């Protein structure tokens, strides 16, 4: 059936100079940098081509909008006063979840095929442009698999369901399902990122445990289970807490849903364990060491997510300026606008390139690659998320007043931009973790130096900046300089990865404006960019 166009002839005026809203995208075919970076990282491009077309389709775009408009609702009791502790979502949310899981968001890294983590990272990048909130439970489901390897029985029961590519939101125990999701509940009021201050208690009950306590943040409370931390007799310990037991709900009480700035389609919550049944994962007292594998894998996603938000915002801005005129010229033809968009594009290209480079390290099974992945994702998460907020804000401004209107995606993207910097460790926590990793893991230092040294000789300005960095911090920096140190090191790492995969116009522009810092302090305050070549990559 053909779609009738909305009428442009109104009673008082004709609608002109207003770009037609895009109802569908192809996140793969329209994104040259993604295709280049994914190919270089060894991702499965045929799978990604299929996913990009599906995730950008008009039905899923509409479903995502519905999920954001009709927000999750907390259902604590049924009409007879019996406890439910459930969250009700708009059907559009379930459509988005189903599509993401079926395309391999949580499964691609664990199916035994080459390029699994690189494929996963590219899927995250596309999914986050469709609906970021649904990415939270899928990321945790993906990241839980390596943590479960600490207990073979739990791994055998849960891992095949988590990586099945099947979405089953029904309220049934896991052994009755073909697919499952797994969340995480670690932080408490008194400690936040300092999880060792947790007070949730764990008491043995035969082969299992019983948990009692409150968790301040539990994202995606309708997952089939949660990895959580509690104080056992032997110290802080990691547990798997199932949502559903044989014939009954586990004693996980939802307290309220968080009224958040963004990520609104996702039902973040507060919960309490009331003698909830749990299974120990790893040894007593080894809780942080056990769950850190999950945290490490979530960092890959929080490193590439800001690249997705920047890409979505810049694509919208580029579409606007390509179809709107001011002062007798198309906006895209005005030199100042071209400089602003080209400058912003460099942060997006850099964030994508470094994340896909590190996803390739996740796919390699050697100590050096694992060490590089550990330090690299922390650096990328820190820098890319700090850049994302400014890029999305500037892209919003490109649309003028329309960018501030909820009918465009810009407000949603702007509200979303700070989240991935906050999730599982805000900026200061990440920077201190970077210092600890470099101080304790010589192999991480060695691998990082190898990447940076391999890029030497491509640009004398990069070489000089690398030497300046090493001269300034010939030993580990004081804690007060951790952000400066991390920003410098992450910028150099991003430049080095661009040199491996990006065209010269991108590399030269990034080195000029970010490494050599030959610029002002705000977006577009730079000269000498090859704007034609840069903007040709921004569909």
């Amino acid at each position: 059936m053909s779609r009738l166009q909305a009428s442009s002839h109104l009673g008082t005026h004709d609608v002109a100079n207003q770009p037609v809203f895009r109802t569908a995208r192809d996140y793969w075919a329209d994104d040259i940098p993604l295709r280049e970076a994914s190919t270089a990282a060894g991702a499965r491009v045929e799978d990604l081509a299929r996913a990009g077309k599906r995730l950008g389709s008009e039905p899923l775009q509409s479903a995502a909008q519905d999920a954001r408009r009709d927000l999750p609702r907390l259902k604590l009791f049924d009409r007879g006063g019996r406890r439910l502790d459930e969250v009700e979502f708009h059907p559009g949310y379930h459509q988005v979840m189903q599509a993401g899981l079926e395309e391999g968001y949580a499964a691609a890294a664990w199916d035994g095929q080459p390029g699994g983590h690189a494929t996963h990272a590219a899927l995250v990048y596309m999914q986050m442009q469709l609906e970021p909130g649904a990415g939270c439970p899928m990321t945790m489901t993906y990241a839980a698999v390596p943590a479960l390897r600490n207990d073979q029985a739990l791994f055998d029961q849960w891992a095949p369901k988590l990586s099945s590519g099947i979405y089953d939101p029904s309220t049934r125990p896991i052994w009755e399902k073909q697919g499952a999701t797994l969340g995480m509940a670690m932080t408490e009021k008194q400690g936040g990122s300092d999880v060792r201050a947790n007070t949730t208690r764990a008491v043995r009950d035969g082969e299992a445990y019983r948990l009692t306590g409150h968790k301040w943040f539990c994202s995606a409370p309708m997952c089939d289970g949660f990895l959580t931390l509690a104080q056992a007799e032997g110290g802080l310990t990691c547990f798997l807490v199932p949502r559903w037991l044989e014939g009954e709900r586990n004693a996980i009480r939802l307290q309220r849903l968080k009224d958040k700035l963004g990520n609104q389609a996702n039902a973040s919550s507060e919960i309490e364990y009331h003698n909830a049944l749990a299974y120990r994962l790893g040894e007593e007292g080894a809780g942080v060491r056990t769950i850190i594998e999950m945290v490490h894998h979530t960092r890959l996603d929080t490193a590439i997510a800001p690249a997705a938000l920047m890409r979505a915002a810049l694509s919208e801005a580029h579409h606007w300026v390509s179809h709107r005129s001011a002062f007798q010229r198309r906006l895209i033809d005005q030199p100042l606008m071209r400089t602003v968009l080209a400058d912003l594009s460099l942060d997006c290209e850099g964030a994508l390139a470094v994340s896909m480079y590190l996803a390739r390290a996740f796919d390699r099974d050697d100590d050096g690659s694992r060490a590089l992945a550990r330090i690299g994702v922390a650096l990328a998460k820190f820098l890319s998320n700090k850049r994302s907020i400014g890029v999305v804000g500037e892209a919003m401004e490109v649309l003028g007043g329309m960018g501030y209107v909820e009918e465009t995606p810009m407000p949603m993207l702007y509200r979303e931009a700070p989240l991935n910097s906050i999730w599982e460790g805000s900026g200061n926590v990440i920077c201190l973790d970077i210092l600890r990793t470099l101080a304790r893991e010589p192999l991480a230092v060695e691998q990082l130096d190898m990447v940076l040294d391999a890029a030497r000789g491509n640009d004398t300005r990069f070489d000089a900046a690398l030497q300046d960095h090493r001269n300034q911090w010939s030993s580990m920096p004081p804690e007060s300089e951790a952000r400066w140190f991390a920003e410098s090191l992450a910028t150099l790492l991003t430049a080095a990865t661009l040199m491996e995969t990006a065209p010269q116009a991108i590399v030269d522009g990034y080195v000029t404006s970010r490494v050599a810092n030959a610029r002002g302090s705000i977006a577009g305050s730079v000269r000498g960019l090859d704007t034609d070549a840069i903007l040709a990559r921004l569909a």
Side-chain angles (χ1 to χ4, degrees):
M1 180 181 296
S2 62
R3 177 184 293 275
L4 295 176
Q5 295 295 323
S7 177
S8 297
H9 304 292
L10 308 184
T12 60
H13 64 284
D14 289 341
V15 177
N17 203 24
Q18 281 286 329
V20 175
F21 178 69
R22 296 180 296 177
T23 58
R25 300 290 313 281
D26 189 326
Y27 291 129
W28 176 259
D30 294 345
D31 196 329
I32 296 170
L34 174 62
R35 298 201 305 272
E36 291 176 350
S38 298
T39 301
R44 302 196 289 268
V45 296
E46 291 185 1
D47 294 347
L48 294 174
R50 181 193 64 242
K53 187 173 184 178
R54 180 182 182 184
L55 295 176
S57 66
E58 184 173 346
L60 278 180
Q61 294 287 331
S62 179
Q65 291 170 29
D66 289 341
R68 292 191 289 268
R69 182 169 50 247
D70 190 349
L71 300 183
R73 301 172 186 176
L74 183 61
K75 297 180 65 176
L76 291 179
F77 302 94
D78 70 6
R79 66 182 183 179
R82 304 170 188 86
R83 288 210 70 117
L84 290 174
D85 294 291
E86 294 178 6
V87 179
E88 185 178 79
F89 296 91
H90 187 279
Y93 175 84
H94 295 298
Q95 293 175 44
V96 172
M97 285 287 296
Q98 180 178 358
L101 289 174
E102 286 181 351
E103 292 302 328
Y105 189 117
W110 314 118
D111 62 10
Q113 297 183 59
H117 288 284
T119 303
H120 163 79
L123 286 167
V124 173
Y125 175 85
M126 294 189 289
Q127 177 80 39
M128 290 294 178
Q129 295 179 64
L130 170 65
E131 170 38 51
C136 177
M138 289 191 281
T139 283
M140 292 188 295
T141 300
Y142 148 77
V145 172
L148 288 171
R149 293 196 175 104
N150 285 279
D151 186 287
Q152 191 62 48
L154 290 175
F155 181 88
D156 291 344
Q157 182 183 31
W158 284 82
K161 309 274 176 95
L162 301 181
S163 57
S164 68
I166 297 172
Y167 178 56
D168 182 354
S170 62
T171 55
R172 296 183 295 164
I174 186 173
W175 54 84
E176 296 181 9
K177 293 187 172 193
Q178 291 183 298
T181 56
L182 196 62
M184 179 166 51
M186 294 197 298
T187 59
E188 299 182 5
K189 293 176 183 176
Q190 72 282 353
S193 295
D194 183 9
V195 294
R196 295 186 186 279
N198 283 6
T199 61
T200 297
R201 303 183 308 280
V203 178
R204 275 191 178 274
D205 182 6
E207 293 298 312
Y209 288 74
R210 294 285 176 172
L211 270 54
T212 302
H214 179 274
K215 293 298 179 181
W216 189 228
F217 276 93
C218 174
S219 290
M222 290 307 292
C223 285
D224 295 286
F226 309 97
L227 295 190
T228 196
L229 296 175
Q231 298 288 355
E233 184 176 348
L236 189 65
T237 304
C238 184
F239 295 92
L240 192 159
V241 188
R243 279 281 286 152
W244 326 107
L245 306 177
E246 182 69 52
E248 63 178 329
R249 290 163 162 79
N250 202 357
I252 305 170
R253 305 295 188 231
L254 274 61
Q255 301 299 300
R256 60 173 175 169
L257 300 185
K258 298 289 192 181
D259 188 4
K260 299 171 293 183
L261 170 68
N263 208 247
Q264 294 174 340
N266 179 41
S268 301
S269 65
E270 293 177 42
I271 64 170
E272 286 184 350
Y273 298 129
H274 286 253
N275 210 34
L277 185 70
Y279 301 97
R280 193 184 73 206
L281 185 62
E283 297 301 317
E284 283 196 4
V288 173
R289 187 169 69 248
T290 301
I291 208 168
I292 201 68
E293 272 302 308
M294 184 175 187
V295 173
H296 172 55
H297 283 76
T298 64
R299 281 188 181 173
L300 176 61
D301 290 17
T302 57
I304 199 165
L309 300 179
M310 287 188 274
R311 174 71 190 188
L314 287 171
S315 179
E316 193 70 22
H318 186 267
H319 177 73
W320 177 266
V321 300
S322 297
H323 296 86
R324 186 167 172 84
S325 299
F327 310 111
Q328 291 77 53
R329 288 186 298 174
R330 283 196 316 160
L331 292 176
I332 191 61
D333 296 328
Q334 300 186 19
L336 183 55
M337 179 63 74
R338 296 180 70 78
T339 299
V340 170
L341 288 178
D343 191 19
L344 297 174
S345 295
L346 294 173
D347 285 321
C348 181
E349 292 251 11
L352 174 62
V354 71
S355 298
M356 293 304 298
Y357 182 92
L358 293 167
R360 183 173 62 183
F362 273 76
D363 277 321
R364 292 173 173 165
D365 189 23
D366 62 89
D367 291 341
S369 294
R370 285 191 288 270
L372 176 61
R374 279 195 298 275
I375 187 62
V377 289
L379 289 164
K381 169 179 159 48
F382 176 68
L383 180 66
S384 298
N385 281 294
K386 294 303 182 188
R387 300 291 194 199
S388 177
I389 299 171
V391 170
V392 175
E394 289 283 355
M396 177 189 289
E397 186 177 321
V398 168
L399 274 67
M402 278 300 296
Y404 209 64
V405 174
E406 293 287 350
E407 289 173 297
T408 76
M410 301 309 241
M412 179 274 288
L413 295 169
Y414 191 68
R415 289 191 296 267
E416 199 73 28
L419 175 60
N420 290 287
S421 187
I422 295 170
W423 190 17
E424 69 79 21
S426 54
N428 284 0
V429 173
I430 295 298
C431 287
L432 295 177
D433 188 48
I434 289 167
L435 297 190
R436 281 193 296 269
T437 299
L438 293 175
R440 297 175 182 177
E441 298 189 30
L443 187 56
V445 178
E446 176 186 317
Q447 291 296 309
L448 196 54
D449 282 342
M450 284 177 59
V451 175
L452 297 174
D453 287 334
R456 296 176 67 178
N458 290 304
D459 192 303
T460 57
R461 297 166 300 173
F462 174 87
D463 298 348
L466 177 59
Q467 192 58 52
D468 287 346
H469 174 91
R470 288 170 170 170
N471 290 341
Q472 183 164 354
W473 292 291
S474 56
S475 58
M476 293 303 297
E479 181 179 313
S480 60
E481 295 180 13
R483 280 193 172 216
W484 188 8
F485 173 84
E487 178 187 2
S488 174
L489 193 54
T491 302
L492 290 166
L493 177 62
T494 302
T497 59
L498 284 169
M499 288 177 184
E500 182 167 309
T501 61
Q504 188 57 40
I506 301 297
V507 175
D508 183 69
Y510 194 90
V511 171
T512 297
S513 57
R514 273 69 173 166
V515 177
N517 208 30
R519 58 168 303 124
S521 60
I522 59 177
S525 57
V526 62
R527 69 164 67 98
L529 301 183
D530 187 345
T531 57
D532 289 348
I534 296 172
L535 294 180
R537 297 164 61 80
L538 185 60

